[in-house]
Amino acid sequence: MSLKCGIVGLPNVGKSTLFNCVSSGKAQSANFPFCTIEPNLGSTNVPDKRLEVLADMCKPKSVVPATVDIVDIAGLVKGASKGEGLGNQFLANIRETDAILHVLRCFDDDNVVHVDGSVDPVRDKEVVDTELQIKDLETVEARLAKSQKQATTGGDKEAKKLVALLLRYKEALLQGKSCRTVEPVNDEEAAMAHDLFLLTNKPVMYVCNVDDASAASGNKYVDAVREATRDEDAEILVISARTESEIAEMDSYEDRQMFLEEMGLQESGVVRLIQGAYHLLGLQTFFTAGADECRAWTIHKGDKAPKAAGVIHTDFERGFIRAEVIKYEDFVTLGSESAVRAAGKLATEGKEYVVKDGDIMHFLFNV
């Protein structure tokens, strides 16, 4: 399952520095606007201590964690919706992502230029939001004109449903609100919304890039962002990209932990960012565990057993018979699959079973 989070924001807010800390890719990072032009793509492992525990217990030949793709996208400026800066390219790159990590500069540093001359993360947020909303309004109005014609002249029932949704989107956008504030009334409307690929309908996390001293507690800029976003369905993460870059260069786990403790942090911001991105995408993990391999598999929350089986191989889903399911806690407590079976804790589930986060699964199939 290939899912992408796009790192966006104004130029020189720390996007590429953060990207280099998070991903396996390496982006150029420099103190001038539009340092990033082409999007940088990297893949990163999703930290999960449960996988480490299973590996210690099973002693497998290989351990495979879940991954998320991260895209570092060129900085946006005011007027991007009209093609200013790298506007059209920026917007096209966002459209290809599944969720947005919006980096906001929340630190003072006279040596790092700001494209607008001063530090104001709420203003910066509004610049990006406005440009995305303008582009979405263009998309909605164009689609609305086409769908209204289909609904009135052709009597298309599906077009009528789409028109109702588009009108709600248009109203929200004209009020300066993002499309994610419009709740679909049912699953059918949610599917229509997904197919529109609207920029402001993507889930978003605001990443407040702070100075080293504010990494643990935040600062006045972070407080302003919290206040500005309290009515949004969005997450906020406080992180120091500069601190994270120093941690990323440390070879020793002990050194990294000691450094974090000195900073007043329990875990690195990168770990929290990756886990937050995973959550933002509505994802969860199930495991397969044995002597050959311990592996974390990525599925969407709410997926049923056949869908989870299909992540391993399409034949597993096509020929699904049943799934044997062990709860992670039972496996750890009892110590092995054989002990779980002996204790009657192994469940046999059918096609309607909704997979839970942390389930350890074995699929039976026939094709």
Side-chain angles (χ1 to χ4, degrees), residues 17-64:
T17 300
L18 193 59
F19 172 82
N20 289 337
C21 297
V22 171
S23 76
S24 58
K26 288 298 175 185
Q28 183 185 6
S29 176
N31 184 21
F32 56 86
F34 307 120
C35 170
T36 300
I37 298 178
E38 293 298 326
N40 297 295
L41 175 63
S43 181
T44 186
N45 294 336
V46 179
D48 195 324
K49 292 181 179 178
R50 297 172 300 182
L51 183 62
E52 296 175 18
V53 171
L54 291 175
D56 286 340
M57 294 176 66
C58 297
K59 302 292 189 295
K61 296 176 183 176
S62 65
V63 179
V64 184

Side-chain angles (χ1 to χ4, degrees), residues 104-171:
L104 297 168
R105 176 172 170 175
C106 295
F107 65 90
D108 293 308
D109 188 338
D110 293 337
N111 295 318
V112 180
V113 297
H114 190 290
V115 70
D116 285 330
S118 62
V119 178
D120 185 342
V122 175
R123 176 203 60 205
D124 295 352
K125 169 191 173 305
E126 290 172 352
V127 167
V128 174
D129 285 351
T130 299
E131 295 304 322
L132 299 186
Q133 288 164 7
I134 291 171
K135 201 65 180 179
D136 273 352
L137 185 59
E138 292 178 7
T139 302
V140 166
E141 288 180 332
R143 191 64 184 271
L144 192 55
K146 179 180 178 181
S147 298
Q148 283 176 325
K149 184 176 181 181
Q150 292 173 330
T152 53
T153 61
D156 189 328
K157 293 182 179 180
E158 294 302 312
K160 288 181 180 179
K161 295 177 183 177
L162 182 56
V163 166
L165 176 61
L166 289 168
L167 287 172
R168 286 172 26 233
Y169 279 145
K170 182 177 179 179
E171 181 182 1

Side-chain angles (χ1 to χ4, degrees), residues 16-17 34 48 57 63 78 89 134 141 154 156 160 167 170 173 201 216 242 270 275 286-287 298 303 330 354 364:
S16 295
T17 300
F34 307 120
D48 195 324
M57 294 176 66
V63 179
K78 190 173 182 179
Q89 185 174 340
I134 291 171
E141 288 180 332
D156 189 328
K160 288 181 180 179
L167 287 172
K170 182 177 179 179
L173 291 165
N201 212 14
R242 186 167 64 178
V270 164
Q275 291 173 338
F286 76 89
F287 300 100
T298 300
D303 281 353
D330 290 336
V354 178
L364 285 81

Side-chain angles (χ1 to χ4, degrees), residues 277-295:
Y278 201 68
H279 173 72
L280 192 66
L281 290 165
L283 305 177
Q284 66 180 19
T285 301
F286 76 89
F287 300 100
T288 51
D292 286 333
E293 179 184 82
C294 282
R295 182 163 183 163

Side-chain angles (χ1 to χ4, degrees), residues 141-359:
E141 288 180 332
R143 191 64 184 271
L144 192 55
K146 179 180 178 181
S147 298
Q148 283 176 325
K149 184 176 181 181
Q150 292 173 330
T152 53
T153 61
D156 189 328
K157 293 182 179 180
E158 294 302 312
K160 288 181 180 179
K161 295 177 183 177
L162 182 56
V163 166
L165 176 61
L166 289 168
L167 287 172
R168 286 172 26 233
Y169 279 145
K170 182 177 179 179
E171 181 182 1
L173 291 165
L174 289 173
Q175 293 175 3
K177 298 178 181 178
S178 294
C179 291
R180 73 180 70 90
T181 63
V182 177
E183 287 288 334
V185 297
N186 51 38
D187 291 343
E188 182 182 11
E189 196 169 81
M192 287 191 294
H194 178 269
D195 291 343
L196 290 170
F197 297 104
L198 296 171
L199 302 172
T200 65
N201 212 14
K202 298 177 185 295
V204 62
M205 175 191 291
Y206 294 107
V207 182
C208 296
N209 184 17
V210 300
D211 56 280
D212 295 352
S214 304
S217 58
N219 56 28
K220 64 180 181 179
Y221 296 126
V222 175
D223 292 340
V225 173
R226 291 190 192 282
E227 178 62 24
T229 61
R230 60 189 171 89
D231 294 330
E232 291 188 34
D233 183 19
E235 298 183 26
I236 292 178
L237 179 74
V238 179
I239 190 171
S240 169
R242 186 167 64 178
T243 297
E244 297 301 322
S245 65
E246 292 179 23
I247 294 173
E249 292 176 0
M250 295 180 182
D251 296 327
S252 166
Y253 172 80
E254 289 75 17
D255 288 345
R256 290 195 296 269
Q257 290 304 114
M258 188 180 300
F259 185 81
L260 287 170
E261 289 175 10
E262 291 175 356
M263 296 290 296
L265 299 169
Q266 293 184 337
E267 59 184 356
S268 78
V270 164
V271 169
R272 290 183 285 118
L273 178 66
I274 298 168
Q275 291 173 338
Y278 201 68
H279 173 72
L280 192 66
L281 290 165
L283 305 177
Q284 66 180 19
T285 301
F286 76 89
F287 300 100
T288 51
D292 286 333
E293 179 184 82
C294 282
R295 182 163 183 163
W297 300 90
T298 300
I299 57 172
H300 286 99
K301 294 176 182 176
D303 281 353
K304 295 181 179 180
K307 186 87 171 181
V311 173
I312 298 176
H313 197 286
T314 53
D315 284 350
F316 284 26
E317 181 176 9
R318 186 161 55 92
F320 180 88
I321 299 173
R322 64 182 181 273
E324 294 181 341
V325 183
I326 301 173
K327 297 303 175 188
Y328 171 80
E329 293 78 9
D330 290 336
F331 190 93
V332 172
T333 300
L334 295 170
S336 67
E337 181 177 330
S338 58
V340 170
R341 287 180 183 273
K345 293 286 188 178
L346 185 146
T348 300
E349 304 288 355
K351 293 182 178 181
E352 295 304 308
Y353 176 70
V354 178
V355 179
K356 308 297 189 300
D357 185 53
D359 280 353

